[in-house]
Amino acid sequence: MTVHDLDTPAPVVDIDIVEQNLAKMQSYCDSHGLALRPHIKTHKIPHLAHRQVQLGACGITCQKLGEAEVMVAVGLTDILISYPLIGELKAKRLAVLAGTAKMTVAIDSDVALATATSAALSSGAEIGVLVEFDSGAKRTGVVSVEQALALAAQITETKGLRFDGLMTYPSTVETGLFVAGAKQAFDRAGISILVVSGGGTPRAWEAHTILGLTEVRVGTYVYFDRSQVEQGSATLYDCALHVYATVVSRPTEDRAILDCGSKSLSSDHSGTGYGLIREYPGAVIERLYEEHALVKLANSAAKPKIGERVRVLPNHACVVTNLHDEIFVASGENWIDTWKVAARGKTV
Amino acid sequence: MTVHDLDTPAPVVDIDIVEQNLAKMQSYCDSHGLALRPHIKTHKIPHLAHRQVQLGACGITCQKLGEAEVMVAVGLTDILISYPLIGELKAKRLAVLAGTAKMTVAIDSDVALATATSAALSSGAEIGVLVEFDSGAKRTGVVSVEQALALAAQITETKGLRFDGLMTYPSTVETGLFVAGAKQAFDRAGISILVVSGGGTPRAWEAHTILGLTEVRVGTYVYFDRSQVEQGSATLYDCALHVYATVVSRPTEDRAILDCGSKSLSSDHSGTGYGLIREYPGAVIERLYEEHALVKLANSAAKPKIGERVRVLPNHACVVTNLHDEIFVASGENWIDTWKVAARGKTV
């Protein structure tokens, strides 16, 4: 069977490019003495998580407990949940996981600390804790060294919890500055920072320049995508995931409709539309309905015919895989496998 | 059990509001002599499709064959695929469906006509055909009465196909003008237009003012959403679907983080953020990461605490349900059922 036998829209991954991407990032981290802890949010596929560990990753990262439950069930043993877990429902589930796997969580508040504490108490297993700090994204994370130290001090005093270090997203120049300040304050308090975990594929190749960083959390590098190409972390040749689509209508000379809408590509936008049609780089996907991609052909001399198949490079791989129950695996044009996206939809 | 027992993020539907919405639209269509053919793309749930038919719908609408396959398997018997089906893989699947259910398809090209023809030939069952025309959306659909008539003439001459009429999306003032022109031309050619199918919830309540319209295809009305409220087709009291979320971080006085990101709410944006927090209408969800909603609290005097639960009204219900494997059904605060989103991800 070949990729041409697939009905569209179809998310197709080129396994040779995936292998190359996995090896390259592992090699980069190895050569700089950085631990690699891949984020499985991009692929959500057991085979790829195992493969990442097999190649040298120290463990994996999950954003949600539901993802971790899938990964522990298939034998992954070292998992960081890089997300604040809040409340007793989450504590109970974390406790179950900690009974089987080495679990680490990131916290940025007393409430998240209480959740981790409750989980450790009911599981009996030790849970590692990183304190998350904000390095400029203004997302989660404490905003001062004092806050980080106060949480770390509480963690070290809490039975069942182990303070491992600090975490942030993404890794930035500010990361190094925060860590330098934290090192001094934590040293004075007699608390060791063993791990400094940074994240984000766009600037992954600069991770070794960030002072104090010990661990790299990256997800998108497994497939890359159009946004990564635009941000310079990859070239088009590194992009492993495409959505194969069919031209289903050509109402006018300058308009084509593809059968991949926001339910196949997501609504994640970039400056130049909702994805790149590899065969027609001058065409612009200027609007998505749920099942239609509206393609403007005014600046494309070549015009696709109805029934023609094209490959769309999505803007953002991580949200695309989360839309599909299965990913088709290809080597070149050969369709060699189909993988269930086992952690798809595990947002809880 | 109550909705408070659900772990978050959780898509919750208020069944009392759903019933009210279904009844109101059916009553509107009945009172104006319009057939209602609900689009199941919004809910993708067998129970609700059956309920719509039970209340008086003439059949259902699906966008993709995969949705229709789910609905035929659970006993729906009259289905319009309001989407151009292209190619032999699609023809074979359409043929199978036509062997069981009354199938109608919309076409806007010779290639789509060839696909329908092939399906009818191999199934032996008659397939109804609507010719889609463009009423201003510049999406799919022929752009002239002449094109519509040429396709209709071919359909009437094709064994196994039955020309039923015209279809468009959305219903607009231009719809009536196009239909008036078409009626004249089709009359001269001796071809009857029995069905004129229009669509779209935003202007559904004006359907009776559009000359010649016989059928209403609407999907979002089952749940409504923030976009519909902004467009005036519903009030906040008509909105049946919310994503329950938890505040997981409060890094600063004016920022809260919810555990529902673009993998729970989708990236569909409106002028004022990515959803409305019902308990904090002055708060703005100004950015989504995959699992984080960044909420700006500057204009909200009340500030939610970490661990607090809120209800987020999504901008666009149809893409939200497609992210979740299950929908939780509530009556008031009572959690009374859990429905599988059976046609979730059926984009092919």
Side-chain angles (χ1 to χ4, degrees):
Chain A
M1 303 281 271
T2 78
V3 290
H4 308 292
D5 297 312
L6 293 166
D7 208 349
T8 65
V12 177
V13 152
D14 187 309
I15 190 63
D16 304 319
I17 299 176
V18 166
E19 283 289 332
Q20 180 183 295
N21 292 344
L22 296 182
K24 188 175 168 193
M25 186 63 76
Q26 188 63 56
S27 168
Y28 166 78
C29 289
D30 289 348
S31 70
H32 292 288
L34 292 162
L36 174 60
R37 185 180 281 280
H39 207 312
I40 62 82
K41 70 179 179 116
T42 306
H43 58 70
K44 292 178 175 262
I45 292 172
H47 172 84
L48 290 175
H50 281 299
R51 188 78 187 117
Q52 288 169 318
V53 171
Q54 201 174 35
L55 288 168
C58 67
I60 61 169
T61 307
C62 295
Q63 205 73 326
K64 294 292 186 97
L65 276 170
E67 294 172 327
E69 285 161 349
V70 168
M71 293 299 158
V72 167
V74 297
L76 276 296
T77 56
D78 186 334
I79 296 180
L80 165 65
I81 303 212
S82 56
Y83 195 88
L85 299 178
I86 300 291
E88 273 310 296
L89 290 171
K90 297 279 196 288
K92 280 180 193 158
R93 295 164 64 202
L94 175 59
V96 172
L97 292 176
T100 307
K102 183 187 172 209
M103 297 299 300
T104 306
V105 297
I107 69 159
D108 70 349
S109 71
D110 290 345
V111 187
L113 174 56
T115 302
T117 304
S118 170
L121 268 177
S122 64
S123 115
E126 191 178 60
I127 294 173
V129 184
L130 301 176
V131 172
E132 182 177 6
F133 66 95
D134 181 1
S135 55
K138 298 190 189 303
R139 193 169 79 171
T140 37
V142 300
V143 296
S144 74
V145 167
E146 291 67 35
Q147 289 172 309
L149 184 56
L151 284 171
Q154 283 183 266
I155 295 163
T156 58
E157 288 162 17
T158 304
K159 189 169 144 49
L161 298 185
R162 181 187 69 248
F163 175 72
D164 285 342
L166 303 175
M167 188 195 88
T168 195
Y169 175 87
S171 304
T172 61
V173 173
E174 293 170 49
T175 303
L177 299 176
F178 189 100
V179 171
K183 289 262 186 201
Q184 288 190 349
F186 278 59
D187 277 352
R188 278 197 299 272
I191 299 176
S192 299
I193 298 171
L194 297 176
V195 173
V196 176
S197 179
T201 293
R203 300 181 62 184
W205 310 114
E206 300 164 30
H208 66 287
T209 67
I210 295 166
L211 207 70
L213 208 74
T214 69
E215 180 177 279
V216 172
R217 302 187 326 279
V218 281
T220 316
Y221 81 102
V222 59
Y223 295 152
F224 288 114
D225 55 26
R226 189 180 185 215
S227 159
Q228 297 293 333
V229 173
E230 286 179 346
Q231 292 174 84
S233 67
T235 70
L236 285 176
Y237 300 102
D238 302 318
C239 293
L241 171 72
H242 290 85
V243 174
Y244 284 55
T246 299
V247 178
V248 294
S249 181
R250 280 294 317 282
T252 65
E253 180 63 13
D254 283 340
R255 191 189 340 142
I257 313 297
L258 303 179
D259 59 355
C260 54
S262 63
K263 285 177 173 169
S264 301
L265 291 175
S266 90
S267 303
D268 279 22
H269 190 259
S270 88
T272 44
Y274 291 92
L276 174 68
I277 305 175
R278 295 296 295 266
E279 295 84 353
Y280 297 91
V284 178
I285 302 179
E286 57 179 4
R287 179 164 184 186
L288 296 182
Y289 286 84
E290 288 156 56
E291 305 288 4
H292 300 76
L294 271 58
V295 183
K296 188 179 166 188
L297 299 172
N299 297 322
S300 179
K303 319 271 182 188
K305 292 195 181 82
I306 295 177
E308 195 173 325
R309 281 174 179 232
V310 295
R311 291 195 309 156
V312 179
L313 176 65
N315 286 342
H316 188 187
C318 314
V319 286
V320 169
T321 58
N322 190 56
L323 291 166
H324 299 276
D325 292 327
E326 293 177 328
I327 293 282
F328 303 103
V329 185
S331 176
E333 307 238 301
N334 293 316
W335 168 22
I336 59 171
D337 209 346
T338 302
W339 288 336
K340 186 169 185 240
V341 186
R344 196 217 73 69
K346 301 299 184 193
T347 55
V348 181
Chain B
M1 303 280 271
T2 78
V3 291
H4 307 292
D5 297 312
L6 293 166
D7 208 349
T8 64
V12 177
V13 153
D14 187 308
I15 190 62
D16 304 320
I17 299 176
V18 166
E19 283 289 332
Q20 179 184 298
N21 292 344
L22 295 182
K24 186 175 169 194
M25 186 63 76
Q26 187 63 56
S27 166
Y28 167 79
C29 289
D30 289 347
S31 70
H32 292 287
L34 293 162
L36 174 60
R37 185 180 282 279
H39 207 313
I40 61 83
K41 71 180 179 115
T42 305
H43 58 71
K44 291 176 175 264
I45 292 173
H47 173 84
L48 290 176
H50 281 300
R51 188 76 187 117
Q52 288 169 318
V53 171
Q54 201 173 34
L55 288 169
C58 68
I60 61 169
T61 307
C62 295
Q63 204 73 324
K64 295 293 186 96
L65 276 171
E67 294 172 328
E69 285 161 351
V70 168
M71 294 300 158
V72 167
V74 296
L76 277 297
T77 56
D78 185 334
I79 296 180
L80 165 65
I81 304 213
S82 56
Y83 195 87
L85 300 177
I86 300 291
E88 272 310 297
L89 290 171
K90 298 279 197 287
K92 280 179 194 157
R93 294 165 63 202
L94 175 59
V96 172
L97 291 177
T100 307
K102 182 188 173 209
M103 297 298 301
T104 306
V105 296
I107 70 159
D108 71 349
S109 72
D110 290 345
V111 187
L113 174 56
T115 302
T117 305
S118 170
L121 267 177
S122 64
S123 114
E126 191 178 59
I127 293 174
V129 185
L130 300 176
V131 173
E132 182 178 6
F133 66 94
D134 181 1
S135 54
K138 298 189 189 307
R139 194 169 81 171
T140 37
V142 299
V143 296
S144 74
V145 168
E146 292 66 36
Q147 290 172 308
L149 183 56
L151 283 171
Q154 283 183 265
I155 294 162
T156 58
E157 287 160 18
T158 304
K159 190 170 143 50
L161 299 184
R162 181 187 69 246
F163 174 73
D164 284 343
L166 304 175
M167 187 194 90
T168 196
Y169 174 88
S171 305
T172 61
V173 173
E174 293 170 50
T175 303
L177 300 176
F178 189 99
V179 172
K183 289 261 186 201
Q184 289 191 349
F186 278 59
D187 276 352
R188 278 196 300 271
I191 299 176
S192 299
I193 299 172
L194 297 176
V195 173
V196 177
S197 178
T201 293
R203 299 181 61 184
W205 310 114
E206 300 164 31
H208 66 287
T209 67
I210 295 166
L211 205 70
L213 208 73
T214 69
E215 180 177 280
V216 172
R217 301 187 325 280
V218 281
T220 315
Y221 82 101
V222 59
Y223 296 151
F224 288 113
D225 55 26
R226 188 179 186 219
S227 159
Q228 297 294 334
V229 174
E230 287 179 346
Q231 292 174 84
S233 67
T235 71
L236 285 175
Y237 300 102
D238 302 318
C239 293
L241 170 71
H242 290 84
V243 174
Y244 284 55
T246 300
V247 178
V248 294
S249 181
R250 280 295 316 280
T252 65
E253 179 64 13
D254 283 339
R255 191 187 340 140
I257 312 297
L258 303 180
D259 59 355
C260 54
S262 64
K263 285 176 174 171
S264 301
L265 290 175
S266 91
S267 304
D268 279 21
H269 191 259
S270 88
T272 43
Y274 292 92
L276 174 68
I277 305 175
R278 296 297 295 266
E279 295 84 353
Y280 297 91
V284 178
I285 303 179
E286 57 179 3
R287 180 165 182 184
L288 296 182
Y289 287 84
E290 288 156 56
E291 305 288 5
H292 300 76
L294 271 59
V295 183
K296 188 179 164 189
L297 299 172
N299 296 322
S300 178
K303 319 270 182 188
K305 292 195 180 84
I306 295 178
E308 194 172 325
R309 282 175 178 229
V310 296
R311 293 194 309 157
V312 179
L313 175 66
N315 286 342
H316 188 186
C318 315
V319 286
V320 169
T321 58
N322 190 54
L323 290 166
H324 300 275
D325 291 326
E326 294 175 329
I327 293 282
F328 303 104
V329 185
S331 176
E333 307 238 302
N334 292 317
W335 167 23
I336 58 171
D337 209 345
T338 302
W339 288 336
K340 185 167 185 243
V341 186
R344 197 217 72 71
K346 301 299 184 193
T347 55
V348 180

